[in-house]
């Protein structure tokens, strides 16, 4: 049920969903072009779009489509204002939130520090931002929440979130009860992948991967136009891929894994400990490496090589058309690009076409936007 108010609703068939998504992601489109892309006859397209036009979810766009025999055809587009969503990204110490329309355009945003991870405190902050971002007289369609850990839109429970210290927490149920709005959860990297799939770098690619580096290393996958969710929401767990069994140890006791080499805490600890300079920040370490300091240079190059090996492994396994490299520490690429690409080339299977890599340093409001798109996709595709 696609509804903006209690009295206006449209029951979507699978075919109607396909038309709506095509126009949302690729529109405005002429009727002829929409029918061609969806392999529909003109009459079938008219039948599918009629209830969406009557309910106001679709509009005839200003201007005329390509010249056709007979009267001109106005392009069709989604009325992005028909619904609104709140997307929330939780980190270990802050909450980022946005309100978007159905086309994922950010209409308002806010943030809150998280003083602690007690659920009453976090729930209170979530309620505050939902109330702040909601428009008077315009009910929200859904709330999406993303976080690092095992969570998925089909399950109201955060099964584990190491950074927040949560396990088996029914977060979506608690939020939904508190704000009276349908609420869905997702892993934060998968949510960021979702917004790239429909409204970002992934548009036009049936298969692509998103690899993120920061406090951890994550991976989101789209294969055959489908966002991969896996069993119980556990996908993209590439952080502990082994790079070198003689390498440094991560906090889980794995020697030489990607996380031990390439995350910002591991990089900072390695350089700060070797130089006996505990005050160094991650960005300080990058500056030292950029200036040619031998210790920092080697650690950062090893991190870049580890990240290149991770991307090559993902590409070898899934054959994506594109890999988007992002995360709060992706700016380290500017310092270690040479090592990254050398490792990517070295570990890419010799029969494979080298994958294109796009480096995108998304801010946390983009991650929150991803949570809003997770809510949109769940509402549109699974209800």
């Amino acid at each position: 049920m696609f509804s903006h108010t209690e009295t206006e609703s449209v029951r979507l068939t699978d075919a109607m969903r396909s038309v709506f998504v095509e126009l949302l992601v690729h529109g405005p489109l002429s009727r002829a072009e929409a029918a061609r892309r969806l392999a529909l006859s003109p009459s079938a397209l008219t039948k599918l779009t009629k209830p969406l036009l009557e309910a106001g979810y679709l509009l005839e766009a200003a201007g005329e489509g390509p010249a056709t025999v007979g009267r001109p055809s106005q392009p069709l587009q989604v009325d992005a204002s028909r619904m609104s969503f709140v997307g929330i990204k939780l980190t270990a110490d802050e909450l980022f939130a946005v309100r978007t329309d159905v086309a994922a355009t950010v209409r308002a945003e806010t943030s809150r520090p998280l003083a602690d991870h007690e659920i009453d405190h976090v729930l209170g902050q979530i309620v505050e931002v939902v109330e702040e971002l909601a428009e008077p007289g315009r009910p929200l369609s859904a709330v999406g929440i993303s976080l690092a850990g095992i969570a998925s839109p089909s399950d109201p429970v955060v099964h584990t979130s190491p950074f927040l210290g949560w396990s088996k927490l029914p977060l979506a149920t608690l939020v939904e009860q508190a704000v009276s709005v349908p609420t869905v959860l997702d892993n934060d990297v998968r949510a960021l992948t979702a917004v790239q799939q429909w409204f970002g770098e992934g548009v036009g690619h049936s298969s692509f991967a998103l690899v993120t580096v920061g406090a951890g290393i994550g991976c989101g996958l789209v294969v055959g136009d489908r966002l991969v969710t896996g069993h119980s929401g556990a996908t993209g767990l590439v952080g502990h891929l082994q790079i070198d069994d003689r390498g440094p140890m991560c906090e889980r006791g794995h020697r030489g894994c990607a996380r031990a080499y390439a995350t910002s805490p591991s990089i900072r600890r390695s350089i700060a400990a070797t130089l006996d300079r505990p005050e160094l920040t991650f960005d300080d370490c990058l500056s030292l490496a950029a200036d040619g300091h031998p210790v920092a240079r080697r650690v950062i190059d090893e991190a870049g090589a580890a990240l290149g090996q991770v991307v090559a492994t993902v590409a070898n396994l899934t054959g994506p058309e594109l890999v988007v490299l992002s995360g709060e520490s992706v700016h380290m690429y500017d310092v270690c690009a040479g090592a990254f690409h050398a490792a990517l080339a070295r570990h890419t299977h010799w029969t494979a076409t080298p994958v294109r890599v796009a480096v995108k340093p998304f801010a946390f409001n983009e991650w929150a936007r991803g949570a809003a798109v997770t809510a949109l996709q769940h509402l549109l595709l699974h209800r």
Side-chain angles (χ1 to χ4, degrees):
M1 186 77 71
F2 222 17
S3 171
H4 184 66
T5 71
E6 291 298 322
T7 58
E8 296 180 22
S9 62
V10 175
R11 186 169 297 279
L12 298 180
T13 64
D14 288 344
M16 290 169 66
R17 295 175 204 274
S18 296
V19 172
F20 188 89
V21 171
E22 192 70 23
L23 291 169
L24 177 62
V25 176
H26 300 289
L29 296 173
S30 69
R31 286 169 170 80
E33 176 64 9
R36 185 192 67 79
R37 294 175 69 104
L38 293 162
L40 295 170
S41 68
S43 61
L45 183 76
T46 297
K47 182 178 179 181
L48 293 171
T49 56
K50 183 179 179 182
L52 293 168
L53 282 162
E54 290 175 345
Y57 290 105
L58 296 183
L59 299 172
E60 291 188 325
E64 296 180 358
T68 59
V69 177
R71 65 184 180 86
S73 172
Q74 289 180 296
L76 295 175
Q77 67 180 34
V78 170
D79 181 358
S81 69
R82 287 288 295 162
M83 292 176 288
S84 61
F85 300 83
V86 165
I88 296 170
K89 154 70 172 167
L90 298 175
T91 72
D93 53 16
E94 200 162 357
L95 177 159
F96 299 86
V98 297
R99 187 186 79 246
T100 74
D101 60 21
V102 76
T105 302
V106 174
R107 299 303 182 183
E109 59 185 280
T110 189
S111 62
R112 294 282 192 286
L114 294 180
D116 61 61
H117 300 155
E118 290 296 324
I119 184 55
D120 287 346
H121 170 70
V122 178
L123 182 60
Q125 298 293 74
I126 290 172
V127 171
E128 279 190 17
V129 299
V130 171
E131 292 176 347
E132 177 183 336
L133 292 175
E135 294 179 277
R138 290 179 58 83
L140 292 170
S141 296
V143 172
I145 300 174
S146 74
L147 70 170
I150 305 301
S152 65
S154 61
D155 190 341
V157 175
V158 176
H159 287 273
T160 181
S161 181
F163 293 126
L164 293 165
W166 293 344
S167 178
K168 306 298 182 184
L169 178 70
L171 181 62
T173 301
L174 295 173
V175 172
E176 192 163 320
Q177 291 172 346
V179 300
S180 300
V181 178
T183 301
V184 297
L185 307 176
D186 209 353
N187 168 268
D188 54 356
V189 176
R190 194 159 51 240
L192 185 60
T193 306
V195 70
Q196 299 312 305
Q197 178 189 17
W198 277 14
F199 304 106
E201 293 297 313
V203 173
H205 297 286
S206 63
S207 298
F208 75 95
L210 172 78
V211 175
T212 60
V213 59
I217 298 175
C219 177
L221 294 170
V222 171
V223 178
D225 290 316
R226 291 185 177 273
L227 183 64
V228 178
T229 56
H231 179 65
S232 301
T235 58
L237 304 179
V238 298
H240 295 290
L241 286 175
Q242 190 173 80
I243 303 300
D244 186 339
D245 61 9
R246 298 164 297 176
M249 191 176 294
C250 78
E251 75 282 2
R252 300 291 298 179
H254 302 142
R255 185 169 293 284
C257 68
R259 189 181 181 94
Y261 276 104
T263 63
S264 52
S266 294
I267 291 169
R268 193 206 68 79
R269 280 195 303 267
S270 181
I271 295 174
T274 302
L275 299 181
D276 194 22
R277 293 184 59 185
E279 80 284 359
L280 288 177
T281 66
F282 174 68
D283 284 341
D284 291 336
C285 294
L286 292 183
S287 295
L288 287 172
D291 291 340
H293 190 287
V295 171
R297 180 76 261 172
R298 178 163 183 173
V299 171
I300 295 297
D301 279 346
E302 288 180 348
L307 197 57
Q309 186 171 337
V310 168
V311 171
T313 300
V314 171
N316 289 339
L317 286 171
T318 64
E321 302 163 32
L322 169 73
V323 173
V324 180
L325 188 62
S326 190
E328 66 267 32
S329 300
V330 76
H331 56 297
M332 76 180 191
Y333 173 88
D334 295 335
V335 184
C336 65
F340 171 85
H341 284 285
L344 176 62
R346 185 166 63 252
H347 291 283
T348 296
H349 194 275
W350 64 276
T351 63
T353 301
V355 69
R356 183 168 72 87
V357 177
V359 181
K360 296 293 176 180
F362 298 123
F364 275 122
N365 63 351
E366 182 73 0
W367 294 69
R369 185 171 170 247
V373 171
T374 288
L376 163 65
Q377 290 184 342
H378 186 69
L379 182 68
L380 176 59
L381 301 177
H382 301 288
R383 290 196 173 189

